[in-house]
Amino acid sequence: MKTEAIQWFKNTFNKHLEAAVVGTPFSVDMLAAIAQQETGYIWGPLVDKKLSTRKVLALCVGDTLDADKGRNAFPKTKSDLLAAPRGDKMFVIARQALVEMAQYISGYSGAVKNPNKFCHGFGIFQYDLQFFKEDPADPAFFLRKKWQDFAACAAKCVEELKDALKRQGWANKTTLSDTEKVYVAIAYNKGRANPALDFKQGYKSDDGKYYGENIAEYLALAQTISPRAVGSITTSVAVTSLKPPISVMPERSHPLLRFGDVGDEVKVLQGLLQSQGFFAAALGGHFQEKTKQAVLSFQQTHLGRDGKPLEVDGEVGDDTWWALYHPSGMPQKSHPLLSLGDVGEEVKVLQALLQSQGYFAAALGGHFQEKTRQALVYFQQTHLGRDGKPLEVDGEAGDDTWWALYHPSGMPQKSNIPAILPARLTPMRAKVLKIAAAEHQAGVHEIPDGSNWGNGVIKYLEEGGSSADCWCCFFWSWCVHRALGEHAFGKPMGHVLTTWQQAKTKGWAMDKAGYAPVPGDAFVMLYKDDSGKLKGTGHIGFVLRVDKARNATAFNTLEGNCGNRVKVGRRQIDQSTLVGFINQYSREKKPRGWETGLVTADDVGAEGTR
């Protein structure tokens, strides 16, 4: 059983393990032994249950022992955690992690019944929750759930092993014997190892064996297991001739692949994607942005072995490899037109898709009522159809909307409209728009879709001290701060209604009636319920270009969290949810004679205007 578990571990993570130990005296086998000791009892059974790699990593949490069981480090109790800054958020995360893990690991069934219990160890190497507060504190690792990223976990493990090496007085060693590796692992577990006590040191398990003894056993076992060189392309087989088998998966598994990986396994991936029309570039074996976008597009339109949509994360784990060899597209039957009042399983599918992307928070009851309609309206306001044009915002799920729900981001939703700044702007306005345009050019978007997270998005949220959240306002706030060196309202802003209210207090808020927007202004949209009452939600972004200086009817935008990315858009002044504009440049006169005219869809093809 342990042999198969370590084999899976090394097959799946070998490249990341090798990268983590470069320049250190540690080895891939040493990390495999530590992972087996720390959480093998969790991920071993989960792998057998055919869970995805991403899910396995998410469930690698544990250690619910509190002060009553001898815990001396922070947090000793629930109240200890709650008293820490952002401890309330951390408790919710740590408690939920326990609840989810206990559904699969029966040994935690007792702990989960106690509402005061929560997890203290996070990740496949068990990074301890004490570092939420204690030096070297890294609360973001826990609040952002970075333990679900293997590379982040491996980096933390190596950091802690380096500290353990120093505590053993071996900081200058460039190589370690197997015995020394065991002692470093013991120090990793308990602070310091005493060579005079042999391996009977560290945590003592129920079977009477010590941490050090287990590490020695697993290290020796790992050294007998080589990661399988699977799926490699031989010189006698042309890469371009790769075709997926009709019904069977290769006998050997493939490793987890992600952005930055290089080698023959990436060529196999690119060949499979190309054979199915998702990848048009050369098969160079480099997992770069084009490969990642192809993977995202594939994941958005295919099912895993369990018949459910693949997780859209841009990484190639077990389920995605399976789907690449069993290409089926989305379910073959088409979806019907759905509108207010409809009931049934198709409505549940619609609600699940909206929920997975952060638009629908209610239960999946299968009733198309007002909450479902509002969620669909918000989705349609920020997404494109298959023709690259904005969806019709009608609150009904027709063919184009169904298509967009299965292609919520990635290349299909990317606006190819250039963020062309108008000439003759004042310095502050020009600088702010240049910052925002650079984010658009960089292609910042959520990974996975609907997560309010991912490359680029993180920095907007972290500046505001927020975990994953709707980020249009954080994006606006971040750009202003980055360009002008100060926040418009003295602090990061993440709530649109509050931003609008504060702008009114300062005299910066301009109702759209009678006001001619100027490039660099913020546009503000506020959503209302059927009675006309403000719901507290909204949307904000920058005015990029205006059709005319007076009596404007439309304007281009630079906005975050539109279609789960930063986009150039086009909006109408008479849009019902648009309430007005914010001129945050109080120290600068309005520009005169600035260039008018919109960037339109006709200028750049039919890729859309959002």
Side-chain angles (χ1 to χ4, degrees):
M1 181 67 176
K2 292 183 176 65
T3 300
E4 289 77 8
I6 293 176
Q7 180 75 73
W8 172 86
F9 180 85
K10 294 181 74 171
N11 285 355
T12 304
F13 304 119
N14 188 61
K15 291 181 179 179
H16 301 292
L17 291 164
E18 288 179 343
V21 299
V22 168
T24 76
F26 314 129
S27 66
V28 168
D29 295 322
M30 183 180 180
L31 267 61
I34 292 172
Q36 176 63 38
Q37 167 61 20
E38 292 286 352
T39 56
Y41 71 98
I42 295 175
W43 51 263
L46 296 181
V47 170
D48 290 341
K49 293 179 185 292
K50 306 299 183 184
L51 269 64
S52 69
T53 302
R54 170 75 65 170
K55 185 67 172 178
V56 170
L57 290 172
L59 294 172
C60 280
V61 295
D63 184 6
T64 60
L65 301 181
D66 291 327
D68 60 339
K69 297 295 184 180
R71 182 177 175 90
N72 294 316
F74 169 88
K76 298 178 182 178
T77 61
K78 173 183 176 180
S79 59
D80 196 15
L81 177 57
L82 292 177
R86 290 184 284 174
D88 53 344
K89 291 184 179 180
M90 188 63 242
F91 175 76
V92 171
I93 292 171
R95 173 65 188 175
Q96 185 61 31
L98 171 61
V99 170
E100 292 178 3
M101 185 266 290
Q103 294 176 12
Y104 295 91
I105 307 301
S106 59
Y108 284 86
S109 58
V112 78
K113 293 177 182 177
N114 184 339
N116 295 319
K117 288 290 187 181
F118 57 96
C119 289
H120 298 77
F122 293 83
I124 204 163
F125 299 105
Q126 290 291 273
Y127 194 57
D128 196 273
L129 191 56
Q130 65 180 299
F131 299 118
F132 179 77
K133 177 182 177 182
E134 298 176 355
D135 289 337
D138 186 5
F141 181 86
F142 306 98
L143 291 172
R144 314 295 191 216
K145 301 182 181 180
K146 293 181 181 179
W147 76 84
Q148 300 180 13
D149 182 327
F150 182 83
C153 289
K156 286 295 185 186
C157 179
V158 170
E159 285 178 12
E160 290 198 277
L161 286 173
K162 288 179 179 178
D163 288 340
L165 197 68
K166 292 177 183 178
R167 293 194 296 271
Q168 291 301 113
W170 299 338
N172 295 325
K173 281 184 174 287
T174 57
T175 60
L176 294 173
S177 68
D178 287 349
T179 298
E180 288 170 333
K181 288 174 183 174
V182 175
Y183 287 138
V184 172
I186 293 170
Y188 169 88
N189 173 245
K190 67 183 291 285
R192 185 168 296 174
N194 182 357
L197 299 178
D198 199 26
F199 296 158
K200 293 184 180 295
Q201 302 178 68
Y203 175 76
K204 187 176 181 180
S205 55
D206 293 340
D207 63 3
K209 293 184 70 173
Y210 286 87
Y211 190 96
E213 293 177 304
N214 284 329
I215 291 293
E217 175 188 338
Y218 302 149
L219 177 61
L221 178 59
Q223 290 169 342
T224 69
I225 300 171
S226 298
R228 295 168 178 167
V230 297
S232 57
I233 302 170
T234 65
T235 55
S236 62
V237 179
V239 174
T240 54
S241 68
L242 276 174
K243 296 293 181 183
I246 295 175
S247 61
V248 294
M249 197 58 184
E251 292 182 4
R252 296 176 296 179
S253 63
H254 290 282
L256 173 69
L257 294 180
R258 54 161 62 111
F259 187 86
D261 286 340
V262 179
D264 283 345
E265 289 288 349
V266 180
K267 288 183 180 180
V268 174
L269 168 66
Q270 292 169 332
L272 289 169
L273 289 167
Q274 189 179 84
S275 71
Q276 297 172 49
F278 288 88
F279 186 73
L283 310 186
H286 294 263
F287 198 130
Q288 296 177 333
E289 187 61 27
K290 287 183 179 180
T291 304
K292 181 177 179 181
Q293 289 295 339
V295 171
L296 286 168
S297 296
F298 177 86
Q299 290 173 325
Q300 288 165 352
T301 54
H302 285 76
L303 309 179
R305 69 180 76 219
D306 59 0
K308 298 178 181 178
L310 290 170
E311 184 172 9
V312 183
D313 58 5
E315 298 180 358
V316 186
D318 293 342
D319 274 4
T320 298
W321 278 116
W322 184 92
L324 282 162
Y325 284 97
H326 300 77
S328 60
M330 291 310 296
Q332 295 301 303
K333 67 168 186 169
S334 62
H335 292 283
L337 173 68
L338 295 180
S339 57
L340 191 68
D342 286 336
V343 178
E345 291 301 314
E346 289 288 350
V347 179
K348 286 185 180 180
V349 174
L350 170 64
Q351 292 170 331
L353 287 167
L354 289 167
Q355 188 178 83
S356 70
Q357 296 167 48
Y359 288 87
F360 186 72
L364 309 183
H367 294 262
F368 196 129
Q369 296 177 334
E370 186 58 27
K371 286 184 179 179
T372 304
R373 191 187 73 81
Q374 285 292 342
L376 192 59
V377 164
Y378 297 155
F379 176 85
Q380 290 172 325
Q381 287 174 336
T382 55
H383 287 79
L384 310 177
R386 70 180 75 227
D387 59 358
K389 297 180 180 179
L391 291 170
E392 182 179 358
V393 183
D394 58 4
E396 298 183 347
D399 288 343
D400 271 3
T401 297
W402 278 113
W403 183 91
L405 283 162
Y406 284 119
H407 299 81
S409 189
M411 294 306 292
Q413 288 292 334
K414 184 175 181 179
S415 167
N416 290 303
I417 299 174
I420 301 174
L421 274 63
R424 298 180 295 280
L425 291 180
T426 50
M428 285 185 178
R429 290 175 181 269
K431 192 171 183 180
V432 167
L433 288 179
K434 283 179 181 178
I435 293 293
E439 297 300 288
H440 170 260
Q441 181 65 31
V444 174
H445 64 284
E446 297 174 7
I447 301 176
D449 278 320
S451 65
N452 289 316
W453 201 245
N455 296 346
V457 176
I458 298 171
K459 60 180 178 284
Y460 313 139
L461 294 162
E462 287 188 337
E463 180 173 271
S466 174
S467 55
D469 200 354
C470 296
W471 51 276
C472 63
C473 198
F474 283 114
F475 169 73
W476 172 81
S477 181
W478 181 89
C479 290
V480 171
H481 183 215
R482 185 77 177 270
L484 305 184
E486 60 184 11
H487 290 290
F489 300 104
K491 63 180 181 180
M493 301 298 289
H495 190 258
V496 178
L497 179 57
T498 302
T499 301
W500 180 245
Q501 290 169 336
Q502 294 219 13
K504 282 191 169 184
T505 300
K506 285 182 170 286
W508 298 350
M510 310 295 173
D511 291 333
K512 67 178 181 179
Y515 178 75
V518 180
D521 284 352
F523 71 88
V524 178
M525 298 162 59
L526 297 176
Y527 304 138
K528 300 178 180 180
D529 60 23
D530 289 342
S531 68
K533 182 180 179 182
L534 288 175
K535 299 177 67 171
T537 55
H539 188 62
I540 189 172
F542 293 101
V543 175
L544 174 63
R545 301 181 68 90
V546 183
D547 60 348
K548 45 193 173 183
R550 294 183 180 180
N551 302 316
T553 60
F555 57 98
N556 284 129
T557 66
L558 262 171
E559 50 191 290
N561 207 9
C562 181
N564 301 331
R565 62 168 58 247
V566 176
K567 278 189 183 176
V568 172
R570 173 178 173 148
R571 296 188 181 276
Q572 300 294 126
I573 296 288
D574 62 2
Q575 188 172 345
S576 62
T577 52
L578 179 70
V579 295
F581 302 88
I582 297 175
N583 172 11
Q584 65 266 24
Y585 309 97
S586 59
R587 292 179 287 133
E588 188 176 67
K589 292 182 179 180
K590 282 188 179 182
R592 289 187 175 184
W594 46 271
E595 181 185 18
T596 58
L598 301 184
V599 179
T600 67
D602 291 337
D603 293 332
V604 293
E607 287 81 12
T609 55
R610 280 191 181 158

